Amino acid sequence: MSTNFTLPAAVENVLAELEIERKKIVSNKLQGWSFIVLGIVCFACGSVLSLVFLAVVGFIIVIPGAVILFRIGDTVSNYKSRFKQEVIGAALSSVDKSLTLDPNRGIIESEFTASQLFTTSPDRYSTEDLISGVIGKTSFYFAEVHAEYKTEVQTKSGRQVTWHDILKGIVFTADFNKNFNGVTVVRPRDFGSKIGAWFSKNVYSFGDKNIVELENEGFNKNFVTYGTDQIEARYILTPAMMERINDLNQRSAYTISLSFIGTQMYIAFPLDKNYFEPPVFKTLLKSDLLDDDMSVLTFMYDIVRELDLNTRIWTKL
């Protein structure tokens, strides 16, 4: 996913201000870490050489470094907040006036679990950057999600805890204008891939009797479909819809997963980076600053059109 995005003129002045702030943050970070590294080196040398005075000096040097890093915490938070609200927010409006960004909200954990895209309950869950909008008759929203589960193993040296990703990426949901009677879930067939392995550990408790046989070889090559209502699953996954999902999957970096529950369609997109974040150690004053962010945004925005969700073949009951 890539695109060339031109920054709105109103954003240029904001970026110039934020660039000054960014440089101050970098300066403070370097100063703080310099004190800490120097202190650690002195402390280590003092310990190895049995020079108590040098070790004490090292410990003392670390303190101002820690104080500097602590004090810039609010400055960094303000820098990130302004970037998201004034830069990303303006960029969203340039695409569609209905698009809004709330950096502090996301897909709540209970909805993530209820989507049945995964069945392992997260032991650690975070979400941010909720973007919502309306295209025609279809409302939608999506957010970054990082859901993890843990495994524990008892070793000779004690208990070892390992964290595993359930999903690190984006969850997209849209109004399907239909009250589904059952649950239909579409999952990657290739469980041998790195991303497919995430899904294979989280397969919903469907049995073989719940597999929906669909007459689309290309779709069946990529996905396995499960449904509690076979007839409804086939109504949802029309030949045209399957082709559109295949096309959407081809455009995605990794294999997607979908579910149709209640009145909503959910799509999980595994990703390998965090979006909508301002750089700290790279300049803001570059022409391609928002290319990756806007590429993801337009990709999500186009889903309504790609899947033809504004064509209403049902009405809600």
Side-chain angles (χ1 to χ4, degrees), residues 93-110:
S93 294
S94 72
V95 174
D96 188 323
K97 296 294 184 183
S98 76
L99 292 173
T100 60
L101 167 67
D102 189 334
N104 300 315
R105 295 179 60 203
I107 305 292
I108 61 175
E109 185 174 347
S110 59

Side-chain angles (χ1 to χ4, degrees), residues 176 178-186 214 225-227 229-242 244-245 258-262 264-265 307 309 313-314:
F176 209 76
K178 164 70 176 176
N179 289 319
F180 301 118
N181 296 317
V183 174
T184 300
V185 178
V186 178
L214 299 166
T225 302
Y226 301 90
D229 186 324
Q230 295 269 330
I231 295 175
E232 183 178 67
R234 290 187 177 88
Y235 270 114
I236 294 170
L237 296 169
T238 63
M241 176 61 82
M242 285 188 284
R244 293 186 182 107
I245 291 174
L258 307 90
S259 66
F260 302 84
I261 297 176
Q264 301 294 109
M265 175 190 70
L307 299 186
L309 299 183
I313 61 175
W314 293 298

Side-chain angles (χ1 to χ4, degrees), residues 188-207:
R189 181 176 290 278
D190 183 11
F191 293 134
S193 69
K194 176 182 177 182
I195 301 305
W198 292 358
F199 292 92
S200 69
K201 296 174 182 176
N202 298 279
V203 177
Y204 187 63
S205 56
F206 292 115

